[in-house]
Amino acid sequence: MKTASQKTEAASNASGFQLPPLAAYIHIPWCVRKCPYCDFNSHAAGSELPEEAYIDALLADLDHDLEHVHGRELTSIFFGGGTPSLFSANTIGRLLDGMEERVHFARDIEITLEANPGTFEQAKFAAYRQLGINRLSIGVQSFQEAKLKALGRIHNGDEAIRAADMARKAGFDNFNLDLMHGLPDQSLDDALEDLRTAMDQGPTHLSWYQLTMEPNTVFWNQPPELPEDDILWDIQEAGQSLLAENGYAQYEVSAYARGGLRARHNLNYWTFGDFLGIGAGAHAKLSSPEGRIIRTWKTRLPKDYLDSSKHFQAGERALTSDELPFEFLMNVLRLTDGVPSTLFTQRTGLPLSLLAAARSEAEARNLMLADPQRLVATAEGQLFLNDLLQHFLP
């Protein structure tokens, strides 16, 4: 007679579903100041941060989520925010030690920490590197004073350049610069000058994306004057050409890597992998061995998250079989090379034939390539991704 675990494994194999890789996202919700365009769960820091109490809460939160690990190791960890670099190396180190005691780390695990130039201290970042953090993501957004002021940033262009230099001196040979375009009053020359300055700093990765107006932000209620569509189009085309000329290969809508150093944590998102979400307001996507897939989210306000009388998890929703095609494609079609067609069944447990009709329509509109071996958008499909995804709505 088969055991329950054997029956589960047999059912999983019969559907073609395979338990995906597992990553972890850690949310640090405090910033020096809230930026007017930011819709992330971030809050202005007070005179003292409750670092130790928050680390205790993060580890307790992880304890509650260990049931979702299912024997997997962590392939990547991403510290996001907020501004994780406000926390000391000692407290970050205590968290990493506690995590590794609970969940095995892959031998080649990628550990990324977000930082802002205004919070850079070379000694602190050398200590981060010694902890095993092997990748930084530096939120530059622009190097130009007027643009930084319009975005409400607390650093200046010189500080952004020094931050990249300090990252290298601290031992980081793999770091990302976050850069925006389509900024208030930005010209084509302004945008290209920002890109050139960024590339001069020698990052292995650039996240280059257009500023958008998001609900529940200052910019949503008091929108600045942004460049006209023709200028935005020119910026996009010229910027992509400049990046390619300088060895930055585009592999996702807004991600460019040199030397093949793609962001492994983000690739896990975009290939519909699993990730634990730990911290105030963190979201997660988690699968069970039998193929049930859920999304969870945590208590949003830091004061509530730190209140031991309240639950960490604020909600949970199981994805239905009708929703899975859209959820899967919403991620994988962001990748310029797409994914092997077989990944659809491996990640969802559903037959590829479910996509056939909608896929044919998208191919007829030149939004997807007619490649039976891959699920991949055309160049036009990537530009009009929302139009492409409409074909796969439940």
Side-chain angles (χ1 to χ4, degrees):
M1 180 179 291
K2 289 185 177 179
T3 65
S5 62
Q6 286 172 328
K7 289 178 180 177
T8 295
E9 184 178 357
S12 174
N13 291 339
S15 70
F17 175 82
Q18 296 177 14
L19 203 59
L22 181 67
Y25 173 78
I26 313 296
H27 191 74
I28 309 293
W30 291 283
C31 280
V32 174
R33 185 172 66 195
K34 180 83 170 179
C35 295
Y37 58 84
C38 178
D39 68 335
F40 296 153
N41 183 32
S42 59
H43 307 266
S47 56
E48 289 188 17
L49 289 174
E51 290 191 40
E52 296 298 334
Y54 195 70
I55 297 301
D56 289 341
L58 288 171
L59 290 173
D61 188 0
L62 177 58
D63 284 334
H64 282 85
D65 281 359
L66 290 179
E67 64 179 299
H68 300 294
V69 173
H70 301 298
R72 290 173 288 180
E73 60 185 16
L74 288 179
T75 58
S76 65
I77 298 172
F78 193 100
F79 288 90
T83 307
S85 54
L86 292 175
F87 273 31
S88 71
N90 283 339
T91 52
I92 295 289
R94 185 163 75 85
L95 174 60
L96 286 172
D97 288 344
M99 290 180 68
E100 193 166 14
E101 288 172 2
R102 292 162 170 81
V103 189
H104 188 261
F105 287 8
R107 181 184 56 80
D108 61 345
I109 188 170
E110 176 192 88
I111 306 178
T112 302
L113 183 135
E114 282 187 338
N116 286 329
T119 63
F120 255 81
E121 301 170 27
Q122 190 168 326
K124 180 191 283 188
F125 283 84
Y128 286 151
R129 185 68 189 90
Q130 291 172 359
L131 294 175
I133 295 171
N134 49 24
R135 186 174 181 273
L136 288 180
S137 183
I138 305 170
V140 170
Q141 314 313 351
S142 177
F143 294 91
Q144 298 167 29
E145 304 304 312
K147 304 299 183 288
L148 289 168
K149 184 176 181 181
L151 292 172
R153 304 295 287 174
I154 63 171
H155 68 273
N156 59 41
D158 289 341
E159 286 175 319
I161 291 171
R162 284 199 298 272
D165 185 53
M166 283 191 281
R168 285 189 297 270
K169 289 179 178 176
F172 287 95
D173 56 5
N174 186 12
F175 67 94
N176 169 67
L177 295 183
D178 248 23
L179 201 64
M180 286 184 178
H181 60 87
L183 306 181
D185 298 318
Q186 188 178 48
S187 67
L188 172 61
D189 288 342
D190 289 339
L192 295 183
E193 182 59 29
D194 262 349
L195 266 182
R196 291 188 186 98
T197 304
M199 291 186 292
D200 285 345
Q201 311 319 308
T204 50
H205 192 282
L206 278 166
S207 297
W208 188 59
Y209 51 94
Q210 185 177 322
L211 171 65
T212 56
M213 303 295 103
E214 301 293 346
N216 302 313
T217 65
V218 173
F219 275 3
W220 180 264
N221 295 311
Q222 303 169 35
E225 187 171 342
L226 300 180
E228 295 180 356
D229 287 346
D230 286 349
I231 295 175
L232 293 174
W233 182 262
D234 290 343
I235 289 172
Q236 183 77 24
E237 284 196 319
Q240 288 179 332
S241 295
L242 183 62
L243 285 160
E245 289 166 10
N246 285 270
Y248 288 92
Q250 184 180 15
Y251 67 98
E252 187 267 345
V253 170
S254 59
Y256 303 78
R258 175 184 275 175
L261 289 173
R262 300 178 174 190
R264 286 167 49 200
H265 186 83
N266 289 343
L267 277 172
N268 185 61
Y269 292 149
W270 297 325
T271 54
F272 213 50
D274 276 3
F275 54 96
L276 299 163
I278 309 299
H283 287 240
K285 180 248 172 185
L286 302 161
S287 305
S288 66
E290 65 269 24
R292 181 173 184 263
I293 301 173
I294 62 170
R295 293 198 181 276
T296 68
W297 53 97
K298 300 297 171 66
T299 298
R300 187 174 184 276
L301 294 177
K303 66 178 181 65
D304 293 333
Y305 185 81
L306 289 166
D307 186 341
S308 60
S309 69
K310 296 184 178 181
H311 295 292
F312 292 116
Q313 186 162 304
E316 172 182 318
R317 188 174 71 85
L319 298 180
T320 67
S321 58
D322 288 341
E323 294 172 315
L324 280 173
F326 180 84
E327 291 275 340
F328 176 84
L329 292 166
M330 180 175 61
N331 288 281
V332 304
L333 291 179
R334 293 182 64 90
L335 295 167
T336 54
D337 292 335
V339 295
S341 299
T342 52
L343 192 70
F344 176 72
T345 298
Q346 291 170 10
R347 292 287 192 266
T348 67
L350 300 173
L352 185 63
S353 58
L354 279 180
L355 303 180
R359 192 175 173 184
S360 294
E361 292 173 2
E363 290 169 0
R365 293 185 58 194
N366 194 36
L367 297 175
M368 283 187 75
L369 288 178
D371 183 346
Q373 303 304 315
R374 299 193 69 78
L375 294 167
V376 57
T378 61
E380 185 175 351
Q382 283 227 309
L383 284 173
F384 301 101
L385 192 56
N386 287 339
D387 290 344
L388 169 53
L389 291 172
Q390 292 296 314
H391 290 279
F392 300 96
L393 284 171

